[in-house]
Every structure is written in structure tokens, then in C-alpha cells.
Amino acid sequence: MKKAISMTAITGILFMSVVLPAYADPMPNFGTCLNPQWDQTQVNYGDNHGVVNVGTFSGTDTIYSSNGNVLQCLCTGLGQGYQTNWLKASGYSSSQIDYLTAQGWTYIPDGSAWGLADTAYLAQNSNYDCTACTPTPTPSGTPTPTVTPTVTPTPGPTATPTPGPAATPTPGTQVGAASANNTLAFTGNWLLILGVFLAGAASLILGVILRKFSK
């Protein structure tokens, strides 16, 4: 009985060692690109950002690292995001690598071709919507009002009046009326002088007659 129990325990241990191979290090928790927990180490812009077994894209490639493991978050210009978990596999046995490749990981013997360290990696891809993690720009400060300049009219040249011919007074104007008043004044003086002269003459004639009769 004891022998049978011992054989069962040994068989179970051997089976578990094949199905669940022991790792040199525990499987790290990569998290997600929407909520990364590791330190950001790189941000690359432009074209030709590679995704394992998918292709190359233009966009923003952000790299997070922890203990040699790498989280790659590529946000393309169309809003499609690709998350790649890079598991450092330099200390993994061939059986461990075979087990993970059977779970969908891709074995990369040299990470330097992907901009990583010169060592072996296991890579696994997943998709995410990177528009959810793109911050919306917030306007800062109060917008400066646009000042419309006031147009001041430029004064033009002052028109200088051209002198015309002097007006010549015509008969019947105020000037003629003034002359008529002067003539009337002159006529009145002449009548006064004539009256005095006639009175003197009459007195002289009267005196002569009286003298004649007195003889």
C-alpha cells in the first residue's frame, strides 16, 4: 500500500514538472498600455515602428521597462494600438521556451534587432484602443482679445481758393445810392446859398430905391 502511494506521488510530481515547467523567475505582470505600472524609458515618434508578426506602422512608440522585461505601447496614427509584452528569456530552459511558444508567445533570439538588449526574448501581442489614452488638450489662460486697429484718415491737401476778378459796382447798386445821397446833400446847400444871395440882392435894391425917394 505504501509502495503504491509513493509511486503515485512520484508520477504526479513528474507530470506537473512537464505540464507546468518551473521558471527561473516568476512571470511578471505586464499590465496594460491603458494603465502602465512600469517606468517609462523611451518615447519614439515617426515611421517604421515594428510589431512582432504584424508589421511596421507610423505613430508613437512608448517603452516601459522593469527588471529587463519591456512593455511596448504603439499608438498608430489611425488610433489602433498594439501592446507587445517582451519577456526576457535569457535564463529560460528550452522546455520553458517551448511551453510559452505553445501558449502564443514568439521566441526572439536577439532583441537588439528590435531596439532591445542583445539577449533572447519572448514576445506576445494584444490590441487596444489608444484614443482612450490620448489626452485632450486643455486651453490655458484667458484668450487674448484681438485688437482691431483704428484707421485714422490721412488729411488731404487743403484746397486754396483761386481769387476771381473783383466785382465792379453797377448803376443802381448801394454804391450809386450813396452818390445820390451826396448829390441831394449838395443840392440843399446850393439852394441855401441862392436864397441868401437873393435876399442880399433884394436888400440892396430896396436900399437903392429908398435912397432915391429920400432925395
Side-chain angles (χ1 to χ4, degrees), residues 198-210:
L198 292 176
S203 299
L204 179 60
I205 294 172
L206 181 59
V208 173
I209 294 173
L210 291 176

Side-chain angles (χ1 to χ4, degrees), residues 3 5 7 22 32 43 56 58 62 67 70-71 77 89 94 125 139 182 210 215:
K3 185 177 179 179
I5 296 174
M7 291 299 294
T32 66
V43 178
T56 57
S58 62
T62 307
N67 297 324
V70 175
L71 170 64
S94 58
N125 296 324
N182 291 338
L210 291 176
K215 292 181 178 181

Side-chain angles (χ1 to χ4, degrees), residues 180-195:
N181 291 334
N182 291 338
T183 302
L184 292 175
F186 176 76
T187 302
N189 293 335
W190 182 80
L191 291 175
L192 178 61
I193 295 172
L194 180 60

Side-chain angles (χ1 to χ4, degrees), residues 1-13:
M1 182 69 180
K2 292 182 180 180
K3 185 177 179 179
I5 296 174
S6 299
M7 291 299 294
T8 303
I10 294 172
T11 303
I13 293 172

Side-chain angles (χ1 to χ4, degrees), residues 107-187:
Y107 179 70
I108 307 296
D110 185 2
S112 62
W114 295 86
L116 304 177
D118 184 10
T119 187
Y121 285 90
L122 287 161
Q124 186 180 57
N125 296 324
S126 60
N127 298 335
Y128 71 99
D129 183 8
C130 62
T131 57
C133 58
T134 302
T136 302
T138 303
S140 58
T142 304
T144 304
T146 303
V147 179
T148 304
T150 302
V151 179
T152 303
T154 304
T158 304
T160 303
T162 304
T168 304
T170 57
T173 61
Q174 185 64 32
V175 176
S179 299
N181 291 334
N182 291 338
T183 302
L184 292 175
F186 176 76
T187 302

